[in-house]
Amino acid sequence: MSPIKDLSVIYEALNGEYVFSEGDTVAGAVTFTLLKETKVTSIVAKVKGDARVSWTEEHDEGTSCFSEHKRVLKVKEHLVARSPKGVVLAPGAHCFNFRVKIPQGDLPSSFYGLYGNIIYVLEAKVSRNWRWPSAVQRELKFVSKFLSHHGQVKCRRCASKGKEVAVFSKGKVKMSATIDRKVCSPGDTLSIVVKICNLSSKQMRPKFSLQQEIKYSTEGSTNITDTTLRTKVGETLKFNSEETISCIMDIPVKVIHTMHSCKIISVDHYLKVYLDISLKHDPELRFPLVIVPSNVATHQPGEAAGPYPAGAVGAPSYSDSLPPAFPGGPYPVPAGPSAYGYPAPDPTQRANAASGYNNQLPQQVAPSAFLAAAFPPPSVQRQTPTASTAFQQGEPPTYSSLFPASHGTYGSKKHK
C-alpha cells in the first residue's frame, strides 16, 4: 500500500475564465500526506499538451484504423531534484510550491472534435525507487494568442474600398459578392452584398452559409469534416431580372477558432454564397475566413486582424485583456469563488493517485489562508526538501488547523 495519500495539485487562476496562453506562468502547489517515513526520488510539476486523432474506415477488404499522436508542449519544474539516493521525508503533511512558465511560440488552442482532440494538463508526480510513481492531473484550458493562418493573417484589399470581392459568370447567370471583413471573432457579424444578373428562364434563390472545415491527418490518411454553422436564404429571384441583395451573417459565440499550428489537426472557415437553381448545378462563391479570439481581433473591417502576427514578440497574453481575478498584489485574496481553479473540498472524497485525476483539495482549506502558504512573497525562500517536513511523527494535523480560515466567505463552484 502506498504511503502517499491525498495527493493534490492546485493552481492560481489568472482570470475568471481559467484560461492560459503563451507566456503565462502556472503557479500553484503540490500537497500530500505521508503515512510513514518515505524516501522520495523526485517530485515534479509539469504542464504538457498532446494532440491525438483516431478513426476507422470501412472498405471491401475490411476495416482500417488510423491514429496519430503529437506532443505539442512539455515544460516542468523539479520540486525535489531527481536522485537515485532520494530524499527522506517524515510522516505528515507536505506542501511544495511551483511556478511553470509556458514558453512563447505558436501553440494550438485546446480542442475537442469528432475524430481528435488537443488537451493541456497540469500534472504532479511523486516518484520512489522501485515503485510506480503517484501522479495527479488537472486539465488546463489553453487559448493561443497567435494568428497562425499561414504564418500571418492579413486582409486582402481590392478596388472596392478594401472589401473582399468574388465574381461568378457562366452562360446567362452572373453573380458578384462582397463581404466587409475576412478576419472576425466569435459574436461578430459579417455584412454580405450580392449582385445577381439572371438572364435565364429559371427562377433562383440566393443562399448563404458559414462553413467550418476540420482536417484530421495521419501518415496514412486524412479525414475531413465540413459542418454548416449558419445559413440564410434570400428572396426568390425571377427570370430575366437583376437584383442586389444584402445579408447579415453572425459568427457563433462558441465557434472553434481557426487553427493551423498543429500538424495533425487544422480548422478552417469559409463563407459560401450560392444560387439554388432547380435541375441545375448551383453556382457558388467562397470567401475564406479567419476566426480568432476576441482579445486578438482588435481590427476594424478591412484592416489586418491585429498587431501581433505569428511569433510576434511582446504580444499580450490572453489574460491581459480580461479583468483580473484579484484586486491587487502578487498573490492577493481572490475576488470570487473558485478563483484558484479548484472546487470546494469534499471531505468524503480522497485523491486517487491510480486514476491520475483529482480535483479535490484535502480537508477544508480556506482559499486566502492556503494562498499565503502556497504562494509566499518573493522575499521568502521556497522550502527545500528537508524543510518540507513540517510535521513530524504522530497523527497528521488537519489542513484547517494549519491554515486558519480567513474572515471572507467563499461559495463553492466546480472548476470548468
Side-chain angles (χ1 to χ4, degrees):
M1 184 179 71
S2 174
I4 303 173
K5 298 299 179 182
D6 299 325
L7 177 61
S8 177
V9 59
I10 64 170
Y11 65 91
E12 174 194 6
L14 297 181
N15 49 69
E17 298 185 10
Y18 307 100
V19 172
F20 291 89
S21 63
E22 296 92 337
D24 286 340
T25 297
V26 184
V30 178
T31 65
F32 56 89
T33 300
L34 294 179
L35 300 182
K36 62 180 182 180
E37 185 175 273
T38 304
K39 181 183 290 186
V40 174
T41 57
S42 72
I43 301 177
V44 178
K46 67 177 70 174
V47 175
K48 59 183 181 179
D50 293 274
R52 292 181 173 85
V53 297
S54 178
W55 72 89
T56 58
E57 296 179 2
E58 301 287 343
H59 46 78
D60 295 339
E61 292 77 15
T63 302
S64 298
C65 299
F66 300 93
S67 64
E68 193 78 39
H69 166 256
K70 293 290 183 183
R71 172 65 54 85
V72 298
L73 174 67
K74 184 178 180 180
V75 288
K76 61 184 177 180
E77 180 186 2
H78 286 275
L79 311 182
V80 170
R82 180 177 293 277
S83 170
K85 296 181 179 180
V87 175
V88 177
L89 300 181
H94 297 265
C95 174
F96 291 85
N97 307 324
F98 64 84
R99 294 180 64 86
V100 180
K101 184 176 179 62
I102 301 174
Q104 295 286 355
D106 192 1
L107 298 174
S109 299
S110 299
F111 169 86
Y112 286 90
L114 187 60
Y115 301 113
N117 54 53
I118 302 173
I119 299 176
Y120 292 83
V121 297
L122 169 63
E123 180 182 77
K125 184 179 294 186
V126 181
S127 300
R128 298 177 292 150
N129 278 328
W130 307 107
R131 299 287 191 276
W132 286 107
S134 300
V136 61
Q137 292 183 340
R138 298 194 59 189
E139 185 174 347
L140 300 178
K141 183 179 180 182
F142 186 88
V143 176
S144 178
K145 66 185 178 185
F146 289 93
L147 308 184
S148 58
H149 187 68
H150 302 294
Q152 184 173 357
V153 177
K154 291 183 178 180
C155 184
R156 181 162 48 89
R157 295 181 178 273
C158 63
S160 180
K161 298 181 181 180
K163 298 180 179 179
E164 289 287 308
V165 177
V167 178
F168 172 87
S169 179
K170 186 175 182 180
K172 297 182 179 182
V173 177
K174 297 180 180 180
M175 174 175 60
S176 66
T178 63
I179 61 173
D180 64 339
R181 64 176 66 186
K182 181 181 179 180
V183 181
C184 47
S185 297
D188 286 349
T189 57
L190 290 172
S191 178
I192 312 150
V193 178
V194 184
K195 295 181 179 180
I196 305 170
C197 180
N198 179 21
L199 301 179
S200 69
S201 59
K202 296 281 188 178
Q203 291 185 340
M204 56 189 68
R205 301 182 71 182
K207 294 186 176 181
F208 311 85
S209 67
L210 177 62
Q211 302 292 130
Q212 176 177 275
E213 185 179 88
I214 303 177
K215 181 165 68 174
Y216 307 89
S217 303
T218 66
E219 291 185 0
S221 183
T222 299
N223 197 334
I224 299 177
T225 62
D226 197 335
T227 306
T228 300
L229 303 178
R230 290 284 190 272
T231 57
K232 293 287 183 70
V233 180
E235 296 294 331
T236 300
L237 185 66
K238 298 180 180 180
F239 56 88
N240 289 324
S241 62
E242 188 172 337
E243 294 238 6
T244 298
I245 300 170
S246 299
C247 176
I248 299 296
M249 180 74 71
D250 64 297
I251 308 298
V253 175
K254 295 185 179 180
V255 67
I256 301 173
H257 303 143
T258 301
M259 181 175 64
H260 289 97
S261 52
C262 181
K263 293 182 178 180
I264 61 176
I265 300 175
S266 64
V267 182
D268 285 288
H269 302 86
Y270 64 92
L271 178 72
K272 183 169 70 172
V273 182
Y274 60 103
L275 298 176
D276 187 0
I277 307 175
S278 60
L279 304 178
K280 292 286 185 178
H281 177 71
D282 296 341
E284 68 176 46
L285 300 173
R286 291 193 178 195
F287 294 91
L289 297 175
V290 179
I291 298 179
V292 298
S294 301
N295 68 305
V296 176
T298 57
H299 63 286
Q300 298 296 323
E303 296 181 352
Y308 303 106
V313 177
S317 67
Y318 184 91
S319 57
D320 290 341
S321 64
L322 295 173
F326 324 121
Y331 298 108
V333 176
S338 299
Y340 302 102
Y342 56 85
D346 180 358
T348 63
Q349 183 173 352
R350 303 178 67 86
N352 186 351
S355 65
Y357 286 89
N358 172 50
N359 287 336
Q360 299 298 330
L361 181 69
Q363 288 297 98
Q364 299 293 345
V365 182
S368 60
F370 181 86
L371 194 60
F375 308 103
S379 60
V380 179
Q381 183 178 5
R382 195 187 69 182
Q383 62 184 53
T384 62
T386 55
S388 68
T389 312
F391 316 107
Q392 304 300 323
Q393 302 287 345
E395 185 69 21
T398 63
Y399 270 73
S400 57
S401 65
L402 299 174
F403 307 111
S406 64
H407 297 294
T409 302
Y410 299 91
S412 62
K413 183 173 67 174
K414 289 187 177 180
H415 170 65
K416 297 181 179 179

